[in-house]
């Protein structure tokens, strides 16, 4: 075989691989964009309906409870999701060890998280507003369970 023939075969294979990678990236990006757009659109509509249903004061309490739960959840996540994704993508042999350690850490951090929500509930912000305290607990539990996935 001549050098020119080998070069042509290599270039043809390279073009096929490159086109397949481009299609995969485009396909995955489309589904990611569709999922994010649907999620944000549904949240936008839900927020408008919630604002119309609740009074301005009640919506303020809801927003406060939601922001406390989400902010605390982000802090308590402690970057573990990123660590798991990065480390497991490079080393699949220790998957069981990584997942059991991360699950234990997230369960302990979740208990700490719920205790922190209990301390926030005792603050004067929610004094006399029992339904919003329960909403804060429900949002905290939802975020904790969502974080475990």
């Amino acid at each position: 075989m001549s050098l020119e023939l080998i070069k042509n075969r290599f270039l043809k294979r390279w073009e096929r691989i490159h086109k397949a990678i481009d299609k995969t990236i485009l396909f995955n990006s489309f589904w990611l964009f569709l999922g994010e757009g649907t999620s944000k659109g549904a949240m936008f509509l839900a927020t408008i309906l919630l604002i119309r249903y609740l009074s301005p004061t009640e919506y303020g309490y809801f927003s406060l409870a939601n922001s406390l739960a989400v902010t605390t959840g982000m802090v308590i996540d402690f970057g573990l999701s990123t660590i798991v994704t990065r480390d497991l993508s490079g080393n699949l042999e220790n998957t069981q060890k990584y997942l059991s350690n991360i699950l234990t850490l997230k369960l302990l951090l979740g208990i700490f998280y719920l205790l922190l929500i209990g301390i926030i509930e005792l603050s004067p912000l929610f004094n006399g507003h029992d339904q919003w305290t329960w909403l804060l607990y429900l949002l905290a539990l939802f975020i904790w369970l969502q974080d475990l996935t």
Side-chain angles (χ1 to χ4, degrees):
M1 279 211 291
S2 72
L3 187 58
E4 189 66 32
L5 183 62
I6 293 172
K7 181 180 170 185
N8 287 339
R9 283 186 181 174
F10 176 75
L11 288 175
K12 285 181 183 178
R13 284 185 185 164
W14 176 254
E15 286 177 4
R16 276 187 285 168
I17 291 170
H18 188 64
K19 286 180 183 177
I21 290 172
D22 286 348
K23 286 180 185 177
T24 303
I25 291 172
L26 185 64
F27 186 72
N28 289 344
S29 297
F30 168 75
W31 286 112
L32 224 119
F33 178 75
L34 185 68
E36 283 292 317
T38 304
S39 172
K40 301 299 183 201
M43 186 58 88
F44 178 73
L45 290 175
T47 302
I48 289 175
L49 292 173
L50 192 63
I51 289 171
R52 291 180 59 106
Y53 178 73
L54 297 174
S55 71
T57 304
E58 289 176 334
Y59 184 73
Y61 283 120
F62 171 76
S63 295
L64 179 64
N66 192 27
S67 66
L68 286 174
V70 169
T71 305
T72 309
M74 285 188 316
V75 171
I76 295 300
D77 179 43
F78 219 56
L80 294 174
S81 302
T82 307
I83 291 170
V84 167
T85 304
R86 185 191 66 212
D87 287 348
L88 284 182
S89 66
N91 186 6
L92 293 176
E93 296 163 357
N94 297 327
T95 303
Q96 189 67 29
K97 184 179 100 173
Y98 276 115
L99 291 179
S100 64
N101 289 343
I102 293 296
L103 186 62
T104 304
L105 272 173
K106 285 198 177 221
L107 287 172
L108 290 174
L109 288 171
I111 291 169
F112 176 72
Y113 173 49
L114 290 176
L115 289 173
L116 190 62
I117 293 293
I119 291 170
I120 291 171
E121 184 256 330
L122 295 174
S123 73
L125 292 172
F126 290 98
N127 194 10
H129 300 286
D130 291 335
Q131 73 271 18
W132 299 110
T133 303
W134 282 108
L135 179 67
L136 181 61
Y137 279 119
L138 286 174
L139 287 170
L141 188 62
F142 173 73
I143 290 170
W144 182 34
L145 292 174
Q146 186 181 17
D147 190 42
L148 284 175
T149 59

